[in-house]
Amino acid sequence: MSRPALLAVDDDGPVLAAVERDLRERYGEQYQVYTASSGDQALDLLRRLRLREEPVALLLVDQRMPGMSGVELLAASRRLYPDARRVLLTAYADTDAAIKAINDADVQHYLLKPWDPPEDRLYPVLDDLLQTWRRPPPVANLRLVGDRWSQASHAVREFLTRNLVPYRWLDVEADPQARELLEVAGVDAGSLPALVLDDGEVLVQPDLHEVGARIGLRARAERAAYDLVVVGAGPAGLAAAVYGASEGLATLVLECSAPGGQAGTSSRIENYLGFPVGLSGADLTLRAREQAVRFGAEILVPAEVVGVRRADPYTVVRLDDGGEVSAGTLIIATGVEYRTLDVPGAAGLTGVGVYYGAGRAEGVDHAGGHVFVVGAGNSAGQAALFLATFAASVTLLVRGGDLAASMSRYLVDRLIASEKVAVEYHTQVAGALGTRRLEGLRLRTGTEEREVAADALFVFIGQAPRTGWLDGLVRRDDGGFVLTGVDLGPTPEWPLEVPPLPLETSVPGVFAAGDVRHGSGNRIAAAVGEGAMAVRFAHQRLGAR
């Protein structure tokens, strides 16, 4: 396959020549550098590259061009190369255009001209963007054959997607190749899902542990004891892994589903420090996971913790496969999970029209459909905007009469401005309708109920901590969140002469960080900060022994 393309577009000849020179000097060995002097010329080139099935990694486009602006070109390029990284070149006077590009054209960065010296102002930005771009495989040999309206098929799809594993999805009802593949493999269509591995072996109705083991995810620890064990690989857990491993602690991370936690399912995180144009939850997860592994942390997926006991001064963690791991210090970073919708019909339609979290696969599945989002927090607002890029219409159902009290202002403004998103206040879901898949909703407004047609419902109605496995070990509040530091209050059972450290639980050497902790900030940046701080305190506790 040819080298991935970098495309620079500018109608100013000397500027375009300077961009081409800088790109070739830095990236010429790994990438093919193309240039265009107008938006129309650039689109024509992109079409030809697409027909030749040549990958495009990045577009670097000037805003002020006659005929077609940079924002218009970048927006049009998404249809041809949706995964390419997009950078807008602007002048100081074009701030409004840059903001519009972020909102309308999914631009990942904008650069002010001039960018000299490129070593300081150009290359670091492009290096970072190209590092997160992955050349699409010509054909993913891992194939999943299933029924789009099967809960079991959806569970495997979600597991592969959230673990960033490339695969081909073949719907048994819509894709003739799916039936042909099943016939060759000798698998009955009633025994789906079926996962066809790279070597041709077929796993029929596999559980997620089997899937993880066969696609190369690590599920068993290399050692019996670690300086630091982190339970949960959301932002807090991954931050703890990075800092713990980089500071020389033997570090193990246990994750029951996929790294990233709820943040990993976010279509866009726009208020994280240092990323002015935002980034997706998948991007943030990929960066953090690679960083932790590079420093030497072990990350086990799927590895669910089912119990824990003390063997002073150590904590022994028990896994669902029966194995145990000893921890010198333990950080609880299991985060929270979305509360389920407790109305008639919802449980049976989970994964086949009713979803908790909004991933790309679900968005694509319901392209052109009429979808509903229930909730009034930032997660609900982000999901509604993301789904609007696929669906014909999105209706946000809000129990109260105002979004401002629970949602960031920038999201409220974008929801109001969107032509595809409608907001219904004082409205709740009273029931989910459908047998094999979601077909409609029963909505309640005040005392009146009505039924509406619906293709999908995405639920964001609050969160509950994942702390059941901690029964009998640490103190928690009435909601199940872990108490730490001064929030513990009087601790007559505390065995040490010094009081608990900040973020330390009622058990010495056991800490909590992120959303699972009582009084946490419920923001990704706060979770990352607590994960890093917990490692510092873990060092103190280890040093005192």
Side-chain angles (χ1 to χ4, degrees):
M1 181 179 288
S2 62
R3 290 173 294 166
L6 307 181
L7 174 59
V9 187
D10 200 309
D11 67 312
D12 187 321
V15 173
L16 185 60
V19 175
E20 182 180 11
R21 177 201 66 215
D22 289 342
L23 292 180
R24 289 191 187 280
E25 182 174 326
R26 179 78 163 197
Y27 307 106
E29 292 186 3
Q30 294 179 292
Y31 297 89
Q32 179 67 46
V33 178
Y34 294 96
T35 62
S37 58
S38 70
D40 288 335
Q41 187 182 51
L43 281 179
D44 181 64
L45 175 58
L46 289 172
R47 292 189 189 99
R48 286 186 280 119
L49 292 173
R50 186 72 179 85
L51 287 172
R52 298 202 300 261
E53 295 188 347
E54 295 188 19
V56 173
L58 181 139
L59 293 88
L60 184 61
V61 178
D62 183 58
Q63 165 58 13
R64 295 192 177 187
M65 295 187 296
M68 181 184 299
S69 71
V71 171
E72 292 170 336
L73 170 58
L74 291 173
S77 73
R78 293 175 63 190
R79 293 190 293 272
L80 296 168
Y81 285 96
D83 296 322
R85 298 301 185 243
R86 286 171 290 279
V87 180
L88 188 71
L89 284 174
T90 68
Y92 282 102
D94 292 332
T95 303
D96 290 344
I99 294 174
K100 178 177 175 59
I102 294 168
N103 293 336
D104 298 344
D106 195 23
V107 169
Q108 280 83 29
H109 209 96
Y110 65 90
L111 292 170
L112 295 176
K113 298 189 293 185
W115 58 87
D116 288 331
E119 291 78 11
D120 295 335
R121 302 181 61 184
L122 178 67
Y123 296 150
V125 171
L126 301 190
D127 286 350
D128 184 62
L129 291 173
L130 291 172
Q131 184 179 7
T132 61
W133 178 83
R134 291 293 184 270
R135 176 201 290 263
V139 177
N141 206 30
L142 187 70
R143 289 151 291 176
L144 177 62
V145 182
D147 181 352
R148 176 182 171 187
W149 305 117
S150 157
Q151 290 179 316
S153 294
H154 178 265
V156 179
R157 290 180 72 189
E158 184 179 44
F159 180 78
L160 294 172
T161 300
R162 291 201 55 200
N163 280 283
L164 308 178
V165 177
Y167 71 98
R168 291 170 59 200
W169 163 246
L170 302 174
D171 186 349
V172 70
E173 290 192 349
D175 195 328
Q177 187 180 353
R179 291 277 183 178
E180 180 182 346
L181 195 59
L182 291 178
E183 183 177 347
V184 171
V187 176
D188 185 84
S191 302
L192 300 179
L195 185 64
V196 184
L197 304 177
D198 291 344
D199 61 5
E201 184 179 354
V202 182
L203 305 181
V204 179
Q205 296 180 341
D207 65 31
L208 299 185
H209 285 84
E210 184 181 13
V211 172
R214 299 308 297 273
I215 63 176
L217 297 179
R218 180 181 292 183
R220 291 191 179 277
E222 293 183 354
R223 305 166 55 168
Y226 292 82
D227 299 321
L228 174 65
V229 173
V230 183
V231 183
L238 289 172
V242 168
Y243 283 94
S246 68
E247 294 171 11
L249 298 180
T251 302
L252 175 69
V253 182
L254 305 171
E255 169 56 45
C256 65
S257 176
Q262 283 191 3
T265 67
S266 178
S267 56
R268 173 151 303 219
I269 302 165
E270 298 188 76
N271 56 358
Y272 190 62
L273 183 66
F275 293 87
V277 301
L279 76 170
S280 70
D283 274 347
L284 179 61
T285 299
L286 177 64
R287 294 166 187 259
R289 186 178 70 180
E290 289 186 350
Q291 196 173 15
V293 171
R294 182 167 63 87
F295 283 125
E298 292 180 43
I299 301 178
L300 305 190
V301 182
E304 184 160 3
V305 177
V306 295
V308 64
R309 61 183 173 84
R310 284 291 283 181
D312 283 332
Y314 304 103
T315 305
V316 179
V317 175
R318 188 172 74 256
L319 304 178
D320 60 350
D321 64 0
E324 290 189 334
V325 176
S326 175
T329 54
L330 177 71
I331 295 179
I332 302 164
T334 44
V336 293
E337 55 190 354
Y338 290 118
R339 295 188 186 278
T340 56
L341 186 65
D342 187 18
V343 300
L349 296 172
T350 300
V352 289
V354 177
Y355 307 99
Y356 298 90
R360 183 175 182 84
E362 290 81 13
V364 171
D365 276 351
H366 296 287
H370 299 282
V371 307
F372 290 75
V373 178
V374 56
N378 280 3
S379 296
Q382 290 165 342
L385 291 169
F386 170 69
L387 293 166
T389 63
F390 300 96
S393 69
V394 179
T395 303
L396 183 62
L397 305 174
V398 180
R399 183 171 57 181
D402 184 23
L403 285 173
S406 55
M407 187 179 294
S408 296
R409 186 68 214 179
Y410 77 94
L411 283 173
V412 176
D413 292 341
R414 291 181 62 189
L415 288 170
I416 293 172
S418 175
E419 296 180 355
K420 283 190 175 182
V421 179
V423 182
E424 291 193 17
Y425 295 102
H426 305 294
T427 302
Q428 301 179 59
V429 177
L433 310 175
T435 51
R436 187 163 171 258
R437 54 160 293 187
L438 181 73
E439 298 174 358
L441 297 172
R442 183 177 297 110
L443 302 181
R444 181 183 301 120
T445 304
T447 58
E448 297 183 358
E449 290 191 4
R450 69 186 192 280
E451 292 185 1
V452 297
D455 295 298
L457 174 67
F458 296 84
V459 182
F460 303 87
I461 56 171
Q463 302 168 330
R466 298 175 178 176
T467 56
W469 59 280
L470 290 168
D471 287 347
L473 181 71
V474 301
R475 289 171 55 187
R476 293 171 286 168
D477 65 15
D478 293 340
F481 293 90
V482 179
L483 295 167
T484 59
V486 296
D487 291 328
L488 286 166
T491 52
E493 74 277 18
W494 183 254
L496 304 181
E497 294 182 1
V498 295
L501 293 165
L503 304 185
E504 194 165 26
T505 70
S506 56
V507 175
V510 178
F511 302 86
D515 291 351
V516 73
R517 189 182 67 83
H518 171 87
S520 69
N522 295 118
R523 289 290 186 270
I524 292 175
V528 169
E530 289 189 9
M533 288 174 59
V535 171
R536 174 192 166 193
F537 299 135
H539 270 294
Q540 289 183 236
R541 188 58 69 213
L542 287 169
R545 290 177 182 169

